[in-house]
Amino acid sequence: MEKAIWIELKDVVGALKDVSCVIADHGINIKYIEEIIVGGLVHLYLEVENEGNLEKLFEDLGRLDVVLSIVWIPTFHQIYGKRVIVIGGGAQVAEVANGAISEADRHNIRGERISVDTIPLIGEKDIANAVRAVARLPRAAIVILAGSLMGGEITQAVKEVQGSGIKVVSLSMAGSVPDAADLVVSDPIQAGVMAVMAIADTAKFKIENQKKKRY
């Protein structure tokens, strides 16, 4: 079972080191870490592998002078699940998100967890940077490119994220991005629906079987 720890720390030098040393002493690996600093306090979110004596780890972390509070919480995966990332022009992004959110709702009612993130952007460089960043986003499973014209550096970014295991859906548009995408869909609402189906465990749709097809 996945475990996550939410720790409130003093914002002092060495606080993160103290926490990580205790975790390492217990032979437990940190799978994911995120730090948020608010009002002079550090809030640390840690996902740890479910190995070793986690209750003893919890007690030992609580004894640290830098730790103000500590609680077990559900992981981001348990709450938000897989992520669909929609990038591109504002109007197209809104329509794609409409389809993706509607389809995600249908699967989430069945017990899945799929969330949808959007960012309207213009400009080849900004869009390419956003596409590349998807590979660094936790839980990102698929990216949808929504626009009228995309190519050049964006196409190279598409190939890079595909190499990281991220699937790419593209609207039918001018430019070379559709040629690089895993799936091309003309209707933006349907593109959102099909992208969610492609990553849903409760769907039978397999994007691998649609490789390089256009709809």
Side-chain angles (χ1 to χ4, degrees):
M1 182 178 178
E2 295 176 322
K3 291 277 190 179
I5 306 172
W6 181 254
I7 308 175
E8 187 178 66
L9 298 172
K10 297 176 184 177
D11 189 8
V12 296
V13 174
L16 183 58
K17 174 179 176 292
D18 290 346
V19 170
S20 60
C21 283
V22 169
I23 294 173
D25 288 343
H26 282 261
I28 294 174
N29 188 43
I30 299 172
K31 294 173 62 179
Y32 178 73
I33 182 170
E34 189 168 323
E35 182 182 85
I36 304 168
I37 301 177
V38 180
L41 294 177
V42 178
H43 296 85
L44 204 61
Y45 170 84
L46 297 163
E47 291 181 6
V48 297
E49 290 181 333
N50 193 11
E51 297 178 1
N53 190 335
L54 294 181
E55 295 306 322
K56 183 64 167 59
L57 168 66
F58 191 88
E59 293 174 5
D60 290 346
L61 286 173
R63 293 192 185 101
L64 291 174
D65 181 61
V66 295
V67 172
L68 300 175
S69 67
I70 178 170
V71 293
W72 290 114
I73 58 172
T75 66
F76 285 146
H77 180 76
Q78 290 168 324
I79 297 172
Y80 292 109
K82 303 170 187 172
R83 299 169 74 180
V84 178
I85 313 296
V86 189
I87 301 170
Q92 292 98 328
V93 163
E95 289 297 298
V96 170
N98 187 4
I101 291 168
S102 298
E103 184 67 11
D105 182 61
R106 191 169 72 87
H107 292 282
N108 290 347
I109 287 172
R110 302 179 190 176
E112 284 234 41
R113 286 292 184 271
I114 298 172
S115 55
V116 181
D117 297 277
T118 66
I119 180 166
L121 284 174
I122 59 171
E124 180 180 340
K125 185 173 182 59
D126 285 342
I127 293 174
N129 285 338
V131 172
R132 289 189 175 99
V134 172
R136 303 192 295 271
L137 288 173
R139 307 180 322 282
I142 195 164
V143 59
I144 310 171
L145 293 174
S148 302
L149 169 63
M150 291 188 191
E153 190 179 348
I154 302 172
T155 302
Q156 180 58 38
V158 165
K159 294 176 181 178
E160 290 172 19
V161 297
Q162 286 172 326
S164 300
I166 305 291
K167 302 299 182 185
V168 179
V169 174
S170 168
L171 294 187
S172 182
M173 66 175 85
S176 55
V177 160
D179 294 330
D182 296 290
L183 180 66
V184 180
V185 185
S186 298
D187 181 76
I189 292 179
Q190 189 63 23
V193 169
M194 294 178 79
V196 170
M197 289 172 60
I199 64 171
D201 294 331
T202 50
K204 296 182 179 179
F205 180 82
K206 301 296 182 186
I207 199 169
E208 291 79 7
N209 297 335
Q210 312 299 320
K211 201 74 171 176
K212 301 302 180 182
K213 291 185 178 180
R214 296 182 179 228
Y215 292 94

